[in-house]
Amino acid sequence: MWGGRRAQWVSPQQARRPGDTHGGPAVGSPSKPRPPVPRAEGGTELVAGSKRHSGNLPAEVTSFVGRRRELSEARQSLTRTRLLTLTGAGGLGKTRLALRLASEVKRSFPDGTWVVDLSPVEDSELLARTVVTALRIDRTSALPPMAALIAHLAESRSLLVLDNCEHLRDACAALTRALLAAAPDLQVVATSRQALGVDGECLLTVPPLSAPDPQCPPPLASMARYDTVQLFVERASAVVGGFRLTEEDRPAVAGICHRLDGVPLAIELAAAWLRVLSPRQILFYLNDRFGLLDRGCRVAPPRQQTLRAAIDWSYDLCTPQEQCGWARLSAFCGEFDLEAAEAVCVDDELDRRQILDVVSQLVDKSVLIRNGGHDTVRYRILETIRQYGRARLHQDSEETVVRRRHRDYYQELLARAESDWFSARQDAWFATLRREFANIRTALEFCLTAPQESHAGLQLASSLWSHGLIAGGMDEARHWLGQALTLETGPSTARVKALWMDGWLAFLRGDTVVGRDRLAECQALAGRLGDAQSLAHAVEFGGLAALFENDFPAAAPLLEEALDRHRVTGDLWAQWTALFLLALTHCLTRDPRAAPMAQQCLALSETHDAPLARSYALWLLGLQHWLHGENRQAITRLRDGLRLTRSGCDLLGSAQCLEVLAWATAQEGDSEHAATLLGAAQTAWQSVGAALPGLGHLLHHHTECENRLRNALGDTAYDEAVRAGIELTRSQASDYALGSIAIAASNGTSEPAHTPLTRRERQVVELLAQGLTDRQIAAKLVISPRTAEGHVQRMLAKLGFTSRTQAATWALKESRLWHDSCAEDSQPGR
C-alpha cells in the first residue's frame, strides 16, 4: 500500500456503548461481555489455557497498490456487520483486498485472523474439515468437523476470511450462518463472485482500478494518480529493472490500462510481457488479449495463472441459461439496458420472462456490472469478459444471428430518433444516442464486415445524420458513410440519402471536389428513382452546394424549391433545414427577407420546442444583427444560442456561436476577450472537424477579425489570448463566453480563473502532491533546487495556502476536475 498514516481501527465491540442499540451484530446473538485480556511484558496477549494461534495471514510478496476507498469502506462495514462479502469479477483483486483488510484490522482480534483458501475444495462435504485444518484445530478430536469448529470459536474473538466461496456458495452460506449464530464475537470476511445470501450480509463490490482515458491522457506527472498505472509501473519494474514511465510510453501505458478495463490480473500479466515487448507493442497485441495474457505466475492457483483461466472459472459456475445469456450479451459494447438485452437475447431457447432472471444472476455473479441511471438501470460487461463471451458465441454458431438482432435493435432506435427529432425530445435523444454510440458503432462494424449486410449498413450509416454528426464528429460520420457507399452501390433511396449526407459533410469540411461528385450522383439517382423525398433532398443539396460556393443567385431558388417539396412530403425537420439555409442565404446577401425568415425559423423551432433548431435560429439572428452593426443585440442572441448547445453535444452549434461572438466582441473594443473567444472557437471547429468557420463567405469575416485583434493587441498578446481560449474545455469555453469565469494569462500560459498557476507551477504542484521534496521536484523538472523552492513559494502565495499539504489536497481536487473535463469533451464510446 502506498504511504500515509494508518487509520485507527476500532472493533465493533469497542465501538459499542452500554445500551446502544445501533452498530450491534447484524447476524447471530448479541455479544457477551468479555473479561479484560491479560498481557505479558511487551504487550503479548495471554489467554489462560488457550492453544489458539495469532492467525495464518500470509506475507505479501508484491506491493499492494491503490484500493484506499475500498479499504476504508470495508473497515467501516466491519463496524456494522459481522459478515462482509467482497464481490466482483475474476481478476479484480478480491483476495488481495481481503488479505490487506485482515492485516490492517488484526489487532482487534486477539484470538487470531485466519484465512481459508477454498479454491482447491471441490466437494462441499469437505468444507468444514478444510476450515478446521486452516484454523489448526486438533484433528484427533472425536467431534465431527462442524462441531469442533463451533466449540473452538464459541468464545473466540476472531476474524475468519473465507476466500473463493463462489463454487461452494450454498455450503459456505450454511457454514457461515451456523458459526455466526454459535460464536457471537466471530466476524467473517468472504470473497466470492456472488453474494452468499446470509441474513445480515454486507456486500462490497470490488470495482476495476482507475485507468486514464487514452483519448485525453493526463500529463506524465499526473499518471501515477491512477491505480492501474501505479500497478503497471511497479510490476514492470520487477520485470525490467529500473523501468520508468516516460513521455514516449505515456499514451501506450494509458491505452493498456484502459483496454484491460482496470483489471489488476490482466495488467500484471500484460506488464510481464515487457521482458520481450515494448508498451506500444503490448498495446498492439492486446487485440488478441487472451493469446497475450495466457501466461502467468506458475506458483499462483491455476485459475489465477491466466486471464482465460480466471474467466473459465466464472463461466463454469453459471447455469446453461446464464452461459447462453453471457454469450449473447457479449454482442453489446459499453452499456445497455434491460429492453436492449431482451431484444438481443430472446428466442426459442430464452424467452422474455427468463431474461430478467438471467441478467439478475449475471449481476450477482459479477459477470455484469450494474450502473445506475437517471430513470433506468443500465448494465456493463467488462471488455475481457465480453471477448470471452464473443468467443463462446462464435463457437455456438450464434454470432451472426445474435449480432443481427443487436443491429436491428439499434437501427430501430435510430429510426425512432430520426422521426421524433424535431420535437421537445431533442435533448433526450441527444443523451440517448450519445449513451448508445458505442453500440451503434458495433452495429455498423458488423454490417460493413459481415457478408450480405452492406445494405443494412448503408441504411444505418445514413440514419446518423444530425445526431450522429454531433455525437461522433464529422470525420467519423464520413468514415462510416464512405465505407457503406463503397460496399453497397445498388440504386436505392438509402443511397440517395447517404450521398447527400456525405456530400453535405464534405462541404462542411471544405472538400468541395468530393461534395460536387456526391451532388451529381445524388441528383442523377434521385431523378432515376423518382421518389419525392429523395428529389426534395437532392434539390436542397444543390442549393446548399451553391451556398457554400457563394453562388447566392443559384442557391436561393433551389432552396425555395426544396422548401416547397419538403412541405409536400410533410417532413418537418427537412422543412426547417431548408428554411434555415434560405434565411442564411438572404442574410449573407443583406436581403430584407432575411430577418423575418430567421424569425420564422425561431418561431417554428419554438412551436415544436426543438432546442437544437432554436439554437441555430438564435445564431442566425445573432449573425443578422452583427452584419447590421447591432453588436449588443447580436451578443445577446448568440449567448442565448450558446446556452442551448450546452445541454447536448452540439459541437457545430457551439463553434458557430463562439465564432460570431468573437467578431461582435472585437467590434465592441474588448480585444483580449475577443481573441480568447477566437481560440475557444478554433478548438470547437477542430473538435467537430469542420472547415473554419464553415462557409467561405464567413471566412472573410474571421480573417478581418483576426487582423483587427492583432493590430489592437500586438502579436504576442494576441497569441497568448488565443492560446488561453484553445486550452479551455468545452464547458469552460461556454462559461467564459457567458461571463461565468475569467481568464488569467501569465508567462505565456493561460488558465481558468479557478486555476491561477502557470504551466510550470502546475507541474510543481502535481509533483508536490506525490510527496516529493524540493530537491526531488528539481530533479524531475531538470531545474535547480533553489528554482524549485521559488516555484513552490510563489504557488503557495497565489493559492493563499500556508502549507504544502494544503496545496497537495488542492492539486488532487483539481486533477479530478481536469479528468472530468476531459471525460466530458471526449467522444462517446470506447
Side-chain angles (χ1 to χ4, degrees), residues 125-309:
E125 296 295 326
L126 300 177
L127 175 61
R129 187 173 298 280
T130 301
V131 179
V132 165
T133 301
L135 268 61
R136 303 171 189 169
I137 298 173
D138 184 0
R139 284 178 287 179
T140 62
S141 168
L143 292 174
M146 192 64 199
L149 269 178
I150 290 175
H152 181 81
L153 294 171
E155 298 297 325
S156 166
R157 185 188 297 171
S158 300
L159 177 67
L160 182 62
V161 178
L162 297 177
D163 192 27
N164 305 305
C165 298
E166 52 272 339
H167 63 302
L168 302 170
R169 176 174 176 259
D170 292 341
C172 286
L175 179 139
T176 303
R177 189 180 293 113
L179 291 180
L180 291 174
D185 286 328
L186 174 70
Q187 288 186 264
V188 177
V189 172
T191 73
S192 174
R193 300 182 193 186
Q194 187 175 12
L196 298 186
V198 175
D199 290 344
E201 178 181 28
C202 179
L203 299 179
L204 194 159
T205 300
V206 180
L209 295 175
S210 60
D213 182 354
Q215 301 300 319
C216 187
L220 184 62
S222 300
M223 285 282 283
R225 292 180 186 163
Y226 291 91
D227 292 340
T228 47
V229 176
Q230 291 181 19
L231 181 62
F232 184 88
V233 171
E234 289 222 358
R235 300 305 183 256
S237 299
V239 172
V240 181
F243 176 86
R244 291 177 58 200
L245 182 61
T246 64
E247 183 62 36
E248 182 182 7
D249 290 336
R250 177 175 64 97
V253 172
I256 290 168
C257 295
H258 182 80
R259 285 285 301 278
L260 294 178
D261 293 306
V263 176
L265 174 61
I267 291 165
E268 291 185 331
L269 294 173
W273 276 98
L274 283 172
R275 293 187 185 95
V276 291
L277 299 175
S278 70
R280 289 184 181 180
Q281 289 174 313
I282 292 173
L283 180 59
F284 174 79
Y285 284 110
L286 278 177
N287 288 325
D288 178 23
R289 69 185 62 199
F290 288 114
L292 187 69
L293 305 181
D294 267 357
R295 291 187 190 176
C297 176
R298 292 186 179 89
V299 299
R303 65 184 179 79
Q304 292 180 350
Q305 288 181 13
T306 72
L307 189 61
R308 186 191 299 274

Side-chain angles (χ1 to χ4, degrees), residues 398-675:
E398 279 198 319
E399 186 170 12
T400 298
V401 67
V402 170
R403 293 196 69 183
R404 190 177 288 135
R405 288 201 296 258
H406 175 273
R407 186 272 319 282
D408 290 345
Y409 176 80
Y410 287 101
Q411 192 164 41
E412 182 185 350
L413 182 71
L414 279 169
R416 294 206 318 265
E418 197 170 21
S419 64
D420 194 34
W421 190 246
F422 195 58
S423 72
R425 290 169 293 281
Q426 229 166 33
D427 276 346
W429 279 117
F430 260 143
T432 297
L433 295 175
R434 186 172 191 177
R435 193 168 56 232
E436 301 290 359
F437 212 77
N439 279 302
I440 293 171
R441 282 191 183 119
T442 300
L444 281 163
E445 287 169 356
F446 166 70
C447 291
L448 300 178
T449 55
Q452 301 179 337
E453 299 293 337
S454 57
H455 183 73
L458 187 67
Q459 291 179 313
L460 191 61
S462 62
S463 295
L464 293 174
W465 188 210
S466 295
H467 35 279
L469 156 67
I470 292 161
M474 287 187 187
D475 286 342
E476 180 167 354
R478 294 202 65 203
H479 165 77
W480 297 118
L481 285 165
Q483 282 197 334
L485 286 166
T486 300
L487 289 169
E488 181 62 29
T489 57
S492 65
T493 57
R495 185 168 181 83
V496 171
K497 186 177 179 183
L499 285 166
W500 68 254
M501 179 178 172
D502 190 54
W504 187 308
L505 298 178
F507 277 113
L508 282 172
R509 289 280 288 132
D511 191 352
T512 56
V513 174
V514 172
R516 274 288 168 187
D517 288 344
R518 296 300 198 208
L519 172 62
E521 186 182 351
C522 176
Q523 290 177 330
L525 184 55
R528 178 181 167 189
L529 294 173
D531 175 71
Q533 197 167 46
S534 296
L535 285 168
H537 281 302
V539 172
E540 182 181 355
F541 188 8
L544 174 82
L547 176 59
F548 269 93
E549 294 175 341
N550 297 328
D551 187 358
F552 302 118
L558 285 170
L559 292 170
E560 286 174 355
E561 180 186 349
L563 179 58
D564 291 339
R565 286 177 177 270
H566 286 314
R567 283 172 176 155
V568 172
T569 63
D571 188 335
L572 279 174
W573 177 237
Q575 286 178 47
W576 186 92
T577 57
L579 180 64
F580 172 82
L581 292 173
L582 183 57
L584 179 57
T585 302
H586 292 326
C587 177
L588 295 176
T589 56
R590 312 296 174 96
D591 189 307
R593 290 175 292 178
M597 199 165 285
Q599 288 289 354
Q600 209 178 331
C601 277
L602 182 61
L604 188 58
S605 62
E606 288 178 340
T607 298
H608 294 276
D609 199 17
L612 170 66
R614 187 164 179 263
S615 72
Y616 279 73
L618 288 167
W619 170 80
L620 181 57
L621 285 167
L623 177 64
Q624 170 79 5
H625 283 302
W626 178 76
L627 288 170
H628 286 82
E630 300 161 353
N631 290 321
R632 299 314 304 166
Q633 296 96 315
I635 289 171
T636 298
R637 290 291 196 178
L638 293 165
R639 283 180 169 176
D640 287 344
L642 187 62
R643 286 187 183 94
L644 290 171
T645 68
R646 299 183 68 188
S647 59
C649 45
D650 183 5
L651 298 175
L652 181 59
S654 177
Q656 291 181 154
C657 288
L658 288 169
E659 180 73 33
V660 183
L661 264 174
W663 304 347
T665 304
Q667 286 197 341
E668 285 291 288
D670 192 348
S671 300
E672 185 176 352
H673 188 187

Side-chain angles (χ1 to χ4, degrees), residues 43-91:
T44 304
E45 296 174 349
L46 301 176
V47 181
S50 174
K51 296 183 180 180
R52 300 185 183 101
H53 302 269
S54 61
N56 64 346
L57 275 177
E60 290 184 341
V61 178
T62 57
S63 59
F64 185 83
V65 175
R67 299 296 191 199
R68 293 180 180 178
R69 182 179 63 80
E70 289 81 7
L71 275 171
S72 176
E73 288 185 14
R75 287 195 299 265
Q76 289 297 317
S77 295
L78 282 178
T79 67
R80 301 186 301 270
T81 185
R82 294 175 58 212
L83 171 59
L84 171 65
T85 302
L86 308 181
T87 64

Side-chain angles (χ1 to χ4, degrees), residues 2 65-68 209-212 218-231 233 245 761-771 807-819:
W2 292 80
V65 175
R67 299 296 191 199
R68 293 180 180 178
L209 295 175
S210 60
L220 184 62
S222 300
M223 285 282 283
R225 292 180 186 163
Y226 291 91
D227 292 340
T228 47
V229 176
Q230 291 181 19
L231 181 62
V233 171
L245 182 61
E761 288 166 349
R762 283 187 64 84
Q763 291 174 331
V764 168
V765 76
E766 285 168 354
L767 294 172
L768 185 149
Q770 297 175 35
T809 302
W810 175 87
L812 290 171
K813 177 182 177 183
E814 282 293 298
S815 176
R816 287 192 295 270
L817 292 173
W818 171 87
H819 183 268

